[in-house]
Amino acid sequence: MFNQAQLIAEIQQAADQVQLHSNKATELFKNALIDTVTHTVTPQNTTDIFVATGDIPAMWLRDSTFQVLPYLQLIQTVPQVKTLIQGVLNQQLAYVRHDPYANAFNQTASGAHYTTDSSNIPISDLVWERKFEIDSLCAPLHLAAQLYQTSGTTEHLTPEFWQTVALIMATFIREQHHETSDYVFNRPDCPPSDTLSHEGHGAPIGYTGMVWSGFRPSDDACQYGYLVPGNMYIVVVITELLALIGAENIDQPELVGAMTTLKEQIETGIADFAVVRPTPTADPIWAYEVDGLGHVNLMDDANVPSLLSAPFLGYCSIDEPLYQQTRGFILSPANPYFYAGQFLAGIGSPHTPPHHVWPIALAMVGLTTTNLAAVTAQIDLIAATDNGTLQCHEGVHVDNPAQYTREWFSWANMTYCQLVFHYLALKAKA
């Protein structure tokens, strides 16, 4: 039985035991760690837990995963964390079964939507927005696998769980051939980034073996239909699930066959289409997006999954040469969304104004290194961006920390907490 008051008290106690190298960094960590479980988490019933993204009253499948993922670091000392994660996962999977093409959902079937336009295929009253983002389907599966890895529990691996996994895999397989899919998203009177071209079908693509995605983790439209970090994420969750099935001797032969084939096809697609040279003499790197027709988009976005986050998610090692070459490219002015100013330098997003760096991306720089000094520097950099609010924001102007987007963004708060846990683990080994 989920006891939110007890969980809050136990997390507060755990947070109070942490003292970082600076009072500001410590204060931000303690506030961020307790803020999500106090202000965004709402039990729906005895099994499901709703998690609002922060200043928007909807639950994103992706955001909610990364909002609660850091709490797994406390699962051995705070038993209620397991109940929290199971409840969030139950809610996520119920949403997926309701509509695997939606990215964000209402707490109840209130009929609230991001916009009131009626150009799209009608969406249900439970759906906040129906942007198809492949990472939205990966995130709950990643959370389920991480719950198993950190606790050993299998309580969440019910027949309904595996039915939902099968639904997700069937959706991915269908979108390997998007030209035959019924999915469209055509929103009028909006920026091009908020809708799909070609009457809602997206730009033309050729077959690659990868899975098509309409939108990025930023909720912006993909320029080219194959989002490489999203496909990397699919490989990660399939690898995690196959390992789990093997360890627990779970009888799912058809699902195992489908996942194994899909994983192999995506890996081949990434190798054949997404490894490119920025210039004829440059080392190869991963592209952010490709279309299978020869076009590539060389960039990275602050939102996770990103190319920067590949080792954090488990796609590759930090020392993988191709990753390091890609990292060097995206953490430089060669990335059109890398910004540097008097106060900050890092990756932003076309989703926010130019010259705004995201604390999520600053944290990811630290989460993808084992250099303690570098991790410490990223903690200090993020702690200096809150402008006295004790909140991590969406994007912060490189020359002025008082200029930022989103007063309250729980995903950013919890990615900072994830970085602090990474720091504490490295420090314990030092």
Side-chain angles (χ1 to χ4, degrees):
M1 186 72 177
F2 181 62
N3 186 326
Q4 188 170 6
Q6 179 184 350
L7 177 63
I8 292 170
E10 290 177 348
I11 290 178
Q12 184 70 68
Q13 184 178 14
D16 288 342
Q17 296 174 10
V18 174
Q19 181 61 52
L20 301 176
H21 53 280
S22 78
N23 290 335
K24 180 59 183 293
T26 304
E27 191 177 12
L28 179 59
F29 169 73
K30 291 180 177 180
N31 186 71
L33 191 68
I34 204 68
D35 182 82
T36 291
V37 73
T38 304
H39 297 122
T40 72
V41 169
T42 304
Q44 297 276 71
N45 46 50
T46 58
T47 60
D48 300 350
I49 296 176
F50 179 87
V51 182
T53 190
D55 53 7
I56 302 174
M59 181 171 175
W60 266 253
L61 296 174
R62 171 197 54 253
D63 294 33
S64 59
T65 289
F66 293 114
Q67 284 172 262
V68 300
L69 189 65
Y71 291 127
L72 287 174
Q73 303 296 317
L74 304 173
I75 201 165
Q76 301 304 323
T77 56
V78 183
Q80 279 283 323
V81 165
K82 185 175 79 168
T83 310
L84 168 69
I85 302 299
Q86 288 176 327
V88 173
L89 182 62
N90 287 340
Q91 182 67 81
Q92 291 175 326
L93 297 179
Y95 284 148
V96 170
R97 290 190 295 273
H98 182 80
D99 187 348
Y101 280 90
N103 59 317
F105 296 82
N106 296 311
Q107 184 173 349
T108 63
S110 63
H113 304 305
Y114 175 75
T115 66
T116 57
D117 68 68
S118 58
S119 65
N120 293 309
I121 294 174
I123 59 177
S124 83
D125 288 344
L126 192 60
V127 172
W128 172 262
E129 190 170 51
R130 197 173 189 261
K131 288 180 173 177
F132 181 61
E133 304 166 359
I134 53 178
D135 60 280
S136 293
L137 296 180
C138 293
L141 303 185
H142 184 56
L143 184 62
Q146 291 296 305
L147 175 60
Y148 170 79
Q149 291 178 21
T150 56
S151 71
T153 185
T154 58
E155 295 174 17
H156 58 301
L157 305 178
T158 63
E160 197 169 49
F161 171 80
W162 293 113
Q163 290 167 8
T164 311
V165 174
L167 172 63
I168 290 171
M169 294 303 148
T171 305
F172 285 155
I173 292 168
R174 183 184 311 118
E175 293 302 331
Q176 285 180 292
H177 302 274
H178 176 64
E179 66 279 2
T180 64
S181 171
D182 293 333
Y183 176 79
V184 295
F185 192 99
N186 189 15
R187 176 174 285 164
D189 302 324
C190 68
S193 62
D194 208 30
T195 189
L196 296 181
S197 63
H198 296 76
E199 298 182 336
H201 293 280
I205 52 171
Y207 177 80
T208 65
M210 287 185 279
V211 179
W212 178 89
S213 188
F215 295 86
R216 301 168 178 168
S218 63
D219 300 333
D220 288 348
C222 292
Q223 180 179 358
Y224 302 124
Y226 298 116
L227 177 71
V228 176
N231 276 275
M232 290 175 170
Y233 202 12
I234 296 176
V235 171
V236 168
V237 297
I238 290 177
T239 302
E240 290 177 324
L241 290 175
L242 290 175
L244 189 162
I245 288 171
E248 296 297 322
N249 295 312
I250 294 170
D251 186 24
Q252 291 284 344
E254 290 185 10
L255 183 58
V256 166
M259 288 196 296
T260 301
T261 299
L262 177 60
K263 176 175 176 285
E264 292 171 351
Q265 290 171 341
I266 292 174
E267 289 177 323
T268 299
I270 292 173
D272 289 349
F273 291 91
V275 179
V276 299
R277 295 181 185 272
T279 66
T281 58
D283 290 329
I285 65 172
W286 284 308
Y288 185 73
E289 293 167 340
V290 300
D291 63 0
L293 301 172
H295 301 102
V296 299
N297 185 6
L298 301 183
M299 57 165 278
D300 202 20
D301 192 287
N303 294 267
V304 178
S306 59
L307 295 173
L308 179 63
S309 69
F312 169 73
L313 295 175
Y315 181 75
C316 63
S317 71
I318 290 173
D319 297 328
E320 163 68 40
L322 191 53
Y323 172 72
Q324 284 297 324
Q325 288 154 201
T326 305
R327 182 186 178 93
F329 178 89
I330 61 181
L331 292 176
S332 79
N335 175 8
Y337 300 103
F338 179 88
Y339 301 112
Q342 298 177 359
F343 183 73
L344 286 175
I347 299 174
S349 172
H351 190 70
T352 48
H355 309 295
H356 283 67
V357 167
W358 285 43
I360 285 177
L362 294 174
M364 198 52 61
V365 170
L367 284 164
T368 51
T369 181
T370 55
N371 183 302
L372 184 59
V375 174
T376 304
Q378 294 307 111
I379 288 175
D380 290 339
L381 200 57
I382 296 168
T385 68
D386 78 322
N387 195 42
T389 65
L390 290 183
Q391 295 284 338
C392 296
H393 305 296
E394 182 185 48
V396 181
H397 196 280
V398 293
D399 294 322
N400 182 7
Q403 186 175 329
Y404 55 82
T405 63
R406 297 188 73 168
E407 184 76 26
W408 183 32
F409 190 30
S410 179
W411 180 9
N413 281 341
M414 293 308 292
T415 306
Y416 172 73
C417 292
Q418 192 90 54
L419 178 63
V420 170
F421 285 126
H422 179 55
Y423 164 85
L424 294 173
L426 290 174
K427 192 174 180 184
K429 294 178 182 178

